[in-house]
Amino acid sequence: MNQIDIFSAGAKRLQMTDSIDLTIQSLLAYCGAHDHWGIAWSGGKDSSATLTLIIWLLDTGKIPRPKSLTVFYADTRQELPPLAIAARHIMDELEERGIAVEVVTAPMDKRFMVYILGRGVPPPNNNTLRWCTRQIKIDPMEEALRVRLEQLDGQVLMITGVRQGESAIRDRRIEMSCSKDGAECGQGWYQQVLPNAKGLRGRLATLAPLLHWRVCHVWEWLRHWAPSAEFGDWSTAIIADAYGGDEAEEVNARTGCIGCPLASEDKALDTILLNPAWAYLAPLKGLKLLWRELREPQHRLRKAGIEILKDGSTAKNPQRMGPITFDGRMMGLERVLGIQDACNAVARAIGRPEIDLINIEEEARIRELIALETWPQGWDGDEPIATTIMDTVYANGAVQPRLFSESDV
């Protein structure tokens, strides 16, 4: 393909076989220059399609094998149950093929449930505190890559499932970058460094060989092609079916976390619950309500008076709300465990897979952190409950009555 960009290919409504052929061309164009490959796999639709397609291409000799191949599975502990269950099956199938799978999970104290219910950090929000993606997914993956790079000589090619149309914001970045580092348009999105990855420059290149795939091709591959013996006998149909299969909307497949506090609606979970096989997961709808409740002032502390920052300046929001109280954390823990128990009781009765929103080790650590009276940095627990109404006293002696604002939440 010439300098006509890959978006023109999409406009021509590529057929499934055309999309696969373009992916092969992309891999042949760049993979030969790298002895070691990694595949970034989240368990979602695009990365699962990328993973299973590449392994099939390797098994059938359509692309040459690298000296080493490592699959990095980003286990956030927050994935929707059908995706987590499918991932476990696919990992078994990879291990049967002798493919190394590294499960990448955040350190215990930084996991989503432990961070909120153990350390007392409020659930993330889109305004002031969006900490989750980097902490439970990006940082652990970058650390795993650093460790792997230390074990290898030369540059590693990291293959991702980034695809045109996955996000309007991301697409604009792709459009600006599709010809970066000498990449021919139409050969996938190739970059010689993982964007924003500290300490990985010069050692890691990335390639998105499914960039040009239409979403209907992703569903077609996951639901019909990959599960067939001819294309690898993969356990991917569950991923497509969980989102409505051929009728799935792209927006339904983006929210991969259970009860995501950042999403306005639980569209993915709602779609899953329409499937009778997954209807027993209905109690999961309570998670989003819980995260919203834990951001309310009756469950949180508030800074009292003037807050002096490390540089000696006065905080702009001197009575800002902060961490969750111990009572709030215990309420949240019992609520999550209750949701988990409700789902699993039905699962056992009807022979469906059980879930573990909080496993034994995580529950123990949450209770331990509470027993140790743990607070986030900058808080000591002596601060008043956030519902306390106080006047603001500034350094110059001025007094301003405190007015509660929705932005505090």
Side-chain angles (χ1 to χ4, degrees):
M1 187 173 289
N2 58 23
Q3 290 299 313
I4 298 175
D5 67 22
I6 201 161
F7 303 100
S8 297
K12 294 177 183 178
R13 309 294 286 179
L14 293 173
Q15 299 301 310
M16 186 71 175
T17 52
D18 296 328
S19 291
I20 293 175
D21 286 343
L22 272 177
T23 293
I24 294 173
Q25 291 176 35
S26 173
L27 292 163
L28 291 176
Y30 299 110
C31 288
H34 304 275
D35 291 335
H36 308 287
W37 301 359
I39 300 179
W41 177 39
S42 68
K45 70 185 195 308
D46 295 324
S47 65
S48 294
T50 301
L51 169 64
T52 52
L53 175 66
I54 287 176
I55 302 303
W56 173 71
L57 293 175
L58 289 170
D59 288 345
T60 55
K62 299 183 186 302
I63 58 174
R65 288 188 177 276
K67 289 183 179 178
S68 72
L69 170 62
T70 305
V71 176
F72 296 90
Y73 172 56
D75 182 6
T76 65
R77 298 282 298 124
Q78 291 300 116
E79 298 299 330
L80 291 161
L83 301 187
I85 292 165
R88 289 198 290 269
H89 290 316
I90 292 172
M91 280 191 279
D92 290 340
E93 292 157 358
L94 289 167
E95 291 175 1
E96 290 173 0
R97 290 169 164 83
I99 303 295
V101 180
E102 181 171 343
V103 178
V104 180
T105 308
M108 177 63 74
D109 283 8
K110 292 190 174 183
R111 295 184 189 179
F112 189 84
M113 296 287 187
V114 178
Y115 202 59
I116 294 174
L117 302 177
R119 298 195 63 81
V121 177
N125 69 92
N126 286 311
N127 296 323
T128 59
L129 196 67
R130 186 168 183 163
W131 52 263
C132 49
T133 303
R134 171 157 291 281
Q135 180 162 303
I136 67 177
K137 189 173 184 179
I138 297 175
D139 287 348
M141 183 65 75
E142 290 185 0
E143 179 59 27
L145 292 177
R146 288 190 190 92
V147 172
R148 184 64 177 139
L149 284 170
E150 291 175 357
Q151 302 168 350
L152 301 170
D153 295 325
Q155 198 178 52
V156 172
L157 180 67
M158 196 68 177
I159 299 170
T160 75
V162 171
R163 188 179 56 78
Q164 178 188 357
E166 189 176 2
S167 163
I169 296 174
R170 182 179 294 169
D171 286 350
R172 286 195 290 272
R173 187 168 72 245
I174 292 172
E175 189 172 10
M176 290 186 292
S177 307
C178 65
S179 60
K180 185 177 178 179
D181 298 327
E184 289 266 342
C185 290
Q187 291 182 334
W189 185 35
Y190 176 80
Q191 292 183 291
Q192 290 178 348
V193 64
L194 186 67
N196 303 319
K198 298 178 182 178
L200 299 178
R201 288 190 175 277
R203 295 292 315 279
L204 196 69
T206 62
L207 177 66
L210 265 64
L211 181 69
H212 56 282
W213 279 45
R214 294 156 52 195
V215 69
C216 59
H217 289 168
V218 174
W219 298 131
E220 179 71 13
W221 174 262
L222 294 173
R223 196 176 194 188
H224 301 295
W225 290 51
S228 69
E230 180 182 358
F231 293 96
D233 194 23
W234 297 99
S235 299
T236 55
I238 187 175
I239 300 172
D241 289 341
Y243 290 117
D246 296 331
E247 304 301 320
E249 296 180 17
E250 179 106 9
V251 68
N252 286 348
R254 287 189 197 140
T255 304
C257 292
I258 308 172
C260 174
L262 304 178
S264 58
E265 300 178 71
D266 265 342
K267 289 188 175 181
L269 180 56
D270 289 342
T271 304
I272 288 171
L273 296 178
L274 292 175
N275 186 329
W278 297 108
Y280 72 97
L281 297 177
L284 293 177
K285 292 287 289 181
L287 289 174
K288 194 173 186 66
L289 298 175
L290 172 62
W291 304 141
R292 187 175 301 146
E293 182 178 347
L294 285 176
R295 292 195 60 80
E296 294 179 356
Q298 67 268 26
H299 298 301
R300 297 170 64 183
L301 301 184
R302 183 190 296 283
K303 285 292 185 182
I306 301 171
E307 181 183 3
I308 305 300
L309 303 179
K310 290 182 178 180
D311 61 3
S313 63
T314 302
K316 294 181 180 179
N317 188 1
Q319 290 186 7
R320 62 189 174 91
M321 287 208 296
I324 304 169
T325 64
F326 294 133
D327 287 344
R329 294 183 223 178
M330 287 302 301
M331 179 274 290
L333 175 60
E334 296 306 322
R335 186 91 64 86
V336 174
L337 292 176
I339 290 171
Q340 178 172 287
D341 290 344
C343 290
N344 289 340
V346 179
R348 289 189 292 271
I350 64 176
R352 293 293 293 158
E354 296 186 36
I355 62 171
D356 66 335
L357 300 174
I358 297 178
N359 62 31
I360 295 174
E361 293 80 10
E362 290 163 345
E363 180 184 351
R365 183 55 177 162
I366 290 169
R367 294 187 186 279
E368 180 182 26
L369 288 169
I370 293 174
L372 292 172
E373 300 186 352
T374 306
W375 296 99
Q377 185 176 1
W379 298 80
D380 56 25
D382 292 331
E383 298 84 359
I385 300 297
T387 50
T388 305
I389 304 299
M390 299 171 290
D391 291 341
T392 301
V393 181
Y394 291 97
N396 61 5
V399 178
Q400 177 180 338
R402 174 69 188 181
L403 298 177
F404 178 74
S405 171
E406 289 186 0
S407 64
D408 291 332
V409 179

